[in-house]
Amino acid sequence: MVKIKSAYHWLSPTLFGNYLCNGYDTVVAFCEGYLTKWVAAASVSCNKIAWVHTDMVENDWPVSSGVFASVKAESEAYKKFDEVVAVSNIVARGLTQKLGLKNITTIYNMLDSDIVSKSQEEIAYYPSRKLNLISVGRLETVKGYSVLIDAVNILANDKKLDVSLCLVGYGSQYENLKKKVEYLSLSDRVHLAGAQENPYPYVAKSDVYICSSLKEGFNIAVLEAMSLGKPVIATASAGPIEILDEGSFGILVDNNTDALVSAIEYLYGNDAELERLSYLSLSRVKDFDSTKQIKKIHKLICR
């Protein structure tokens, strides 16, 4: 992996950009970073579109990781695109604030139209606690799962609440999280389901969806859980703030153990609030209708 990244760094952006763009009317750099750098540098004529999934104000990783030498260089690259797509309005504001961009369109990530039917698939996992929590995502530090496990530990052992947590996904922190669960003697409370082609049955069988991420540009998993009527507790970052409309459609908390404990404890045994948040989730999903997003994409590509 280090060798691959080194090769990326030393590749001629213009030569590689021309290779990627040659012969196409429209080229989309679908992720910030090297793809954006290469397509921006291409000298061939085409409609260039950049897609941005991160809040550049909070997490400008292409600069911090050395893809771009400076914020100025990153800004100059993005200004070579005909359009820059942000996955949320907060991400769009960050692009304006940090990079001075004006050619920005917000297009939300789209939901799988078969989520409900896929959620009915039979799986072996059947949580049986009074309140069963679920989160889906890469098992990486940025997802905040270590803090979430700490919260479950306090709820189960200090507060004696009958709760469980299922984490669906895989990543570099899988073994560390597994060891932590074993060290805290939470194997009967925390289930690491690993990567699943169809995560929706796991979400359907749980009671509350948790997003504990430090930073999120959007987080489609939150919206997917809401489409299944799940109440949501999310730590406050760009994507969840926008999806939950600053807490109008779910519970937003600070990113720390105590805040997560308090929010989960609030919902524990609170059937009326769980029902209210479930209703709000289903109503909010309608605001992210995929048909609207497809029309925006069609307009960009076919200009």
Side-chain angles (χ1 to χ4, degrees):
M1 181 59 72
V2 173
K3 291 181 179 179
I4 291 173
K5 288 185 177 180
S6 179
Y8 282 172
H9 182 73
W10 292 109
L11 281 170
S12 166
T14 299
L15 287 177
F16 202 65
N18 285 343
Y19 170 76
L20 292 173
C21 298
N22 188 42
Y24 295 97
D25 298 317
T26 297
V27 176
V28 179
F30 196 68
C31 187
E32 59 277 358
Y34 282 110
L35 277 175
T36 298
K37 183 176 183 177
W38 294 331
V39 174
S43 59
V44 300
S45 178
C46 62
N47 177 30
K48 296 179 181 179
I49 303 171
W51 229 274
V52 182
H53 302 260
T54 188
D55 182 355
M56 290 298 188
V57 174
E58 296 293 332
N59 185 32
D60 190 353
W61 69 265
V63 171
S64 63
S65 66
V67 176
F68 292 102
S70 65
V71 172
K72 181 180 179 182
E74 185 178 39
S75 174
E76 289 175 351
Y78 275 107
K79 287 177 181 177
K80 293 178 181 179
F81 283 86
D82 297 281
E83 199 75 27
V84 178
V85 176
V87 296
S88 70
N89 289 325
I90 294 177
V91 168
R93 287 199 293 270
L95 288 167
T96 299
Q97 179 181 336
K98 184 78 176 281
L99 304 182
L101 303 185
K102 297 179 180 179
N103 54 330
I104 306 170
T105 299
T106 296
I107 299 179
Y108 295 118
N109 293 335
M110 289 180 286
L111 288 169
D112 186 331
S113 60
D114 296 325
I115 287 178
V116 175
S117 61
K118 287 181 178 179
S119 72
Q120 297 169 2
E121 179 181 306
E122 288 297 321
I123 57 173
Y125 176 68
Y126 285 87
S128 57
R129 300 289 178 174
K130 185 172 182 179
L131 188 69
N132 301 289
L133 313 172
I134 181 82
S135 192
V136 179
R138 294 174 293 111
L139 301 192
E140 303 293 343
T141 302
V142 72
K143 295 298 184 179
Y145 288 141
S146 182
V147 174
L148 180 54
I149 290 172
D150 285 335
V152 172
N153 182 46
I154 291 172
L155 290 162
N157 293 315
D158 295 350
K159 296 184 176 291
K160 309 300 180 185
L161 300 187
D162 191 25
V163 299
S164 75
L165 169 65
C166 178
L167 296 179
V168 180
Y170 191 78
S172 66
Q173 293 301 303
Y174 179 86
E175 290 299 328
N176 288 338
L177 294 175
K178 182 179 178 182
K179 290 176 182 177
K180 181 166 189 168
V181 169
E182 292 171 352
Y183 175 76
L184 294 173
S185 300
L186 289 174
S187 296
D188 63 334
R189 301 277 190 160
V190 179
H191 177 61
L192 300 179
Q196 298 292 330
E197 184 176 344
N198 179 12
Y200 307 126
Y202 292 83
V203 178
K205 293 181 184 302
S206 299
D207 302 308
V208 176
Y209 188 88
I210 308 283
C211 173
S212 56
S213 297
L214 282 69
K215 300 179 180 72
E216 287 287 356
F218 187 70
N219 198 306
I220 191 66
V222 169
L223 206 58
E224 289 173 336
M226 294 174 78
S227 73
L228 293 174
K230 299 303 169 182
V232 171
I233 296 172
T235 46
S237 63
I241 288 173
E242 189 158 331
I243 292 172
L244 300 181
D245 191 19
E246 299 189 357
S248 297
F249 293 90
I251 299 176
L252 282 173
V253 299
D254 292 333
N255 196 303
N256 60 64
T257 304
D258 290 342
L260 285 166
V261 168
S262 295
I264 297 167
E265 188 176 20
Y266 167 69
L267 291 182
Y268 186 84
N270 192 343
D271 293 341
E273 186 65 356
L274 287 168
E275 184 176 347
R276 186 182 77 88
L277 290 174
S278 176
Y279 172 80
L280 289 175
S281 287
L282 291 171
S283 62
R284 179 58 167 165
V285 167
K286 298 174 184 177
D287 294 331
F288 296 87
D289 179 60
S290 294
T291 303
K292 297 177 183 177
Q293 313 314 315
I294 291 172
K295 287 181 179 178
K296 290 182 180 179
I297 293 172
H298 186 269
K299 184 178 179 180
L300 280 178
I301 294 177
C302 300
R303 51 202 267 165

